[in-house]
Amino acid sequence: MNLKEAFRMQNILSQHLNTVKFLLDDTTNLVKRNEIHFHNKACPDMKNEEFSIKRSADKISATPQQLFTLSLLLLEQKEKLTQAIWEAKQKLPYDIDGAASVNSYRQQLQSSFAKASLLKSSEDVVKNDGMGYCFNKEGNQVSYRYDIKYITTIDFDRNYAKSTSKALSSKMDEVSSDIDALKINTAVDFVPMFDPNESIEEILESLEE
């Protein structure tokens, strides 16, 4: 598999591990529970009833032992894949994780510059938006309303913001394409024990076989 496929497999393993851990943490999946309803004691004409309480793990037909086994298998697979990915990354010309992180900040800044480049200076008069107080002829304090002109002036070079936004966008696409190419063309020495598209139920079936 290539590096891109390996990253996908790594995410799938993490998801499966989280699911199995969730099932193991639910102690009701680790025991069998039956309920016996003693109708006969209260009403001699009635028969007693016994019920088996279903567990959440029953949805995937997994026994506790199967969950234990699967969890350790997934952990082993993730450990091996992580090592294989690390070894593959040593052959790369640069740290693609670091480059991707920087590119994420580049994208955020590009958004800020693009937003700034859309700002314009403006003047708006809002009728009766202000309130003041004065004394009338009788000497009483009264309120009055007045108009306010709001003047907004951009305090930067819009052309600079616009050109920088384009430059950041171009660099962002370049780095992203380069990283994608490296992921596709870099081999990872790892053969998964199951298909990445298989569900936990299918993995359990293959283990049984």
Side-chain angles (χ1 to χ4, degrees):
M1 65 172 54
N2 59 35
L3 200 52
K4 189 171 186 178
E5 293 168 333
F7 285 142
R8 176 172 176 258
M9 189 69 191
Q10 195 174 45
N11 289 333
I12 290 172
L13 286 169
S14 295
Q15 291 169 10
H16 285 340
L17 273 168
N18 288 336
T19 299
V20 175
K21 182 184 182 303
F22 176 79
L23 292 172
L24 286 174
D25 286 344
D26 183 355
T27 55
T28 61
N29 286 319
L30 305 179
V31 298
K32 288 183 177 180
R33 290 184 61 220
N34 286 3
E35 291 182 0
I36 299 177
H37 295 216
F38 294 103
H39 299 289
N40 186 255
K41 285 187 176 181
C43 184
D45 294 334
M46 298 291 292
K47 291 184 177 180
N48 295 335
E49 292 180 294
E50 184 171 352
F51 301 93
S52 294
I53 307 303
K54 289 188 175 182
R55 308 174 294 187
S56 59
D58 290 337
K59 295 179 180 179
I60 59 174
S61 302
T63 65
Q65 190 57 50
Q66 286 175 323
L67 292 176
F68 290 141
T69 301
L70 180 58
S71 65
L72 295 177
L73 172 65
L74 291 171
L75 183 63
E76 180 186 20
Q77 285 280 286
K78 186 170 178 62
E79 185 176 27
K80 289 181 178 179
L81 179 56
T82 299
Q83 178 63 25
I85 289 175
W86 181 83
E87 292 174 358
K89 284 181 177 180
Q90 305 312 302
K91 305 171 186 176
L92 298 176
Y94 59 85
D95 177 13
I96 61 172
D97 293 331
S101 177
V102 172
N103 218 30
S104 176
Y105 284 104
R106 183 177 288 114
Q107 184 178 25
Q108 295 174 41
L109 283 177
Q110 185 275 330
S111 176
S112 297
F113 275 88
K115 185 177 179 180
S117 68
L118 298 176
L119 292 175
K120 295 181 180 179
S121 297
S122 63
E123 292 186 7
D124 294 298
V125 176
V126 180
K127 296 290 185 180
N128 299 321
D129 201 37
M131 176 184 287
Y133 296 89
C134 65
F135 292 94
N136 59 19
K137 293 179 180 180
E138 289 76 27
N140 299 320
Q141 188 181 51
V142 294
S143 63
Y144 64 93
R145 309 292 303 192
Y146 58 90
D147 300 344
I148 298 179
K149 176 185 282 190
Y150 294 96
I151 303 171
T152 302
T153 307
I154 59 172
D155 195 23
F156 62 92
D157 185 347
R158 285 183 67 223
N159 290 329
Y160 169 77
K162 189 174 182 179
S163 62
T164 303
S165 171
K166 289 183 177 180
L168 287 170
S169 182
S170 178
K171 181 64 176 178
M172 184 174 63
D173 291 340
E174 177 187 339
V175 172
S176 181
S177 296
D178 194 30
I179 291 175
D180 283 342
L182 286 173
K183 287 180 180 179
I184 293 173
N185 297 318
T186 301
V188 178
D189 186 16
F190 178 80
V191 180
M193 291 187 64
F194 57 88
D195 188 288
N197 296 313
E198 285 184 333
S199 64
I200 287 183
E201 294 94 324
E202 292 171 324
I203 297 172
L204 284 169
E205 288 178 7
S206 63
L207 286 178
E208 284 297 303
E209 295 173 359

